[in-house]
Amino acid sequence: QECTGGVMIASSIIMGRGLAPVEAAIGGWRAFLMARESYGRLLKGFGNDAADAPTMPLPKPEGKLVFDGVSGGPPDLRKFTVSNLSFTLEAGQVLGITGPSAAGKSTLARLAVGVWRPGSGVVRLDGASISDWSREDVGPHIGYLPQDIELFPGTVAENIARFGEVDAEKVVDAARLAGAHQVILELPQGYDTPIGPAGVNLSGGQRQRIGLARAFYGRPPLIVLDEPTSNLDAEGEAAVRQAMEALRGQATVIVIAHRPAVLGGTDQLMVVLKGQIVNFGPTSEVMPQITRRVVARPEGLPQEAGGAAHV
């Protein structure tokens, strides 16, 4: 009987203020647990990236490429666009890949050069998983021409040399191999001509030839060309075929094209349909089958391509 009503109300207010942080923590407990779980997933994801981990440098690859049960697709999609790809390409061989649109050809190219990591299976370059190579170490040994060619602000020579140390002899050799030397000499400042963002001051054919030269720079042991003749005329297509012939035995080359004529000079030919290999073998054996299908169906491959993959 010693506490008045006012003291009791004041005590209740003080206790409420004192317990407010505890109540707030309880109310936000679920969000805290979710944040901690998300943070753990980020740490696990970054932990799988060996960019910061020192790795022993591997010797220069010869170019043998192996797909062992590879499935994969864009990193932001859970659905694989290619599944269970298995084949071996010996060093120095030239492989042609064809198939209808959205068959998975460009996905295969990105997996081959290590731009995308496979969801399952492994891509091996000279026996080592290409994902295990340091990007800085493996980059000079791979030439890649994507469908969407990206050139960067700088000179033509710097773009061909991949913005590393410009070796004039290698730059000219790559340009000659791509049939771009004369085209570059006709530019206002030749190899020193500045290129605007995304190559806006160049035509589509000029960009493609410079992109080809960049892929050939230093004659890397593995070269992947995705639709290399899409913006080229007949002379440009002939230059690509000559380059394939010049690189035979020196580099492993993968050429992706819709038109079988571009793939006539390859050693092996692969037909991809709906993310799977439906035919794979020597070009002399596979090409007649494709030709017969094109004659039978003007749009290209049949809906159900026959022939088992020799893998």
Side-chain angles (χ1 to χ4, degrees):
Q1 301 294 322
E2 295 183 0
C3 287
T4 63
V7 172
M8 296 174 63
I9 293 173
S11 300
S12 177
I13 294 174
I14 293 173
M15 184 176 293
R17 293 291 181 88
L19 294 178
V22 179
E23 293 178 352
I26 295 174
W29 189 249
R30 177 179 175 82
F32 170 74
L33 291 179
M34 293 178 64
R36 188 175 65 175
E37 183 180 354
S38 300
Y39 181 66
R41 287 198 299 267
L42 285 173
L43 287 180
K44 183 178 179 180
F46 288 134
N48 291 335
D49 188 354
D52 296 331
T55 57
M56 187 186 79
L58 296 173
K60 179 181 178 179
E62 296 180 0
K64 181 177 180 179
L65 187 70
V66 177
F67 272 58
D68 186 5
V70 174
S71 299
D76 55 343
L77 295 180
R78 295 184 179 181
K79 182 180 179 181
F80 293 153
T81 52
V82 296
S83 59
N84 198 29
L85 301 182
S86 295
F87 66 91
T88 298
L89 194 59
E90 297 295 337
Q93 285 189 325
V94 181
L95 169 67
I97 301 178
T98 189
S101 299
K105 304 185 297 297
S106 294
T107 297
L108 190 155
R110 293 184 178 99
L111 292 170
V113 299
V115 174
W116 290 348
R117 295 192 178 192
S120 63
V122 62
V123 179
R124 297 189 181 278
L125 181 60
D126 278 25
S129 171
I130 200 166
S131 300
D132 294 342
W133 287 75
S134 165
R135 296 294 88 189
E136 292 77 11
D137 292 338
V138 75
H141 305 314
I142 296 178
Y144 178 44
L145 177 73
Q147 280 192 22
D148 300 324
I149 302 169
E150 292 289 346
L151 300 179
F152 304 96
T155 65
V156 171
E158 288 173 338
N159 272 271
I160 293 177
R162 308 177 185 183
F163 286 88
E165 182 178 354
V166 177
D167 187 318
E169 184 176 348
K170 290 183 179 180
V171 168
V172 174
D173 175 71
R176 291 184 185 276
L177 194 60
H181 179 64
Q182 189 61 38
V183 173
I184 295 173
L185 291 180
E186 293 174 357
L187 294 174
Q189 299 177 29
Y191 284 91
D192 295 320
T193 301
I195 296 178
V200 293
N201 55 330
L202 300 175
S203 68
Q206 290 172 329
R207 287 197 299 270
Q208 189 135 31
R209 288 175 185 266
I210 293 174
L212 275 168
R214 181 175 59 188
F216 295 152
Y217 180 74
R219 302 207 176 198
L222 175 62
I223 301 174
V224 180
L225 309 177
D226 194 352
E227 296 290 350
T229 61
S230 58
N231 293 311
L232 298 181
D233 53 15
E235 183 181 350
E237 289 187 7
V240 171
R241 289 194 293 269
Q242 291 175 4
M244 290 163 53
E245 187 63 32
L247 292 169
R248 189 187 308 276
Q250 301 181 14
T252 304
V253 183
I254 298 177
V255 183
I256 298 173
H258 282 290
R259 287 179 287 182
V262 182
L263 306 175
T266 59
D267 301 315
Q268 302 285 323
L269 188 56
M270 177 186 298
V271 181
V272 180
L273 183 65
K274 296 181 180 179
Q276 295 184 331
I277 301 173
V278 296
N279 209 335
F280 177 53
T283 302
S284 58
E285 298 178 7
V286 179
M287 183 65 76
Q289 302 177 31
I290 297 177
T291 305
R292 287 195 297 268
R293 290 168 186 162
V294 171
V295 172
R297 299 177 62 90
E299 66 271 23
L301 293 174
Q303 293 180 355
E304 294 183 1
H310 304 291
V311 295

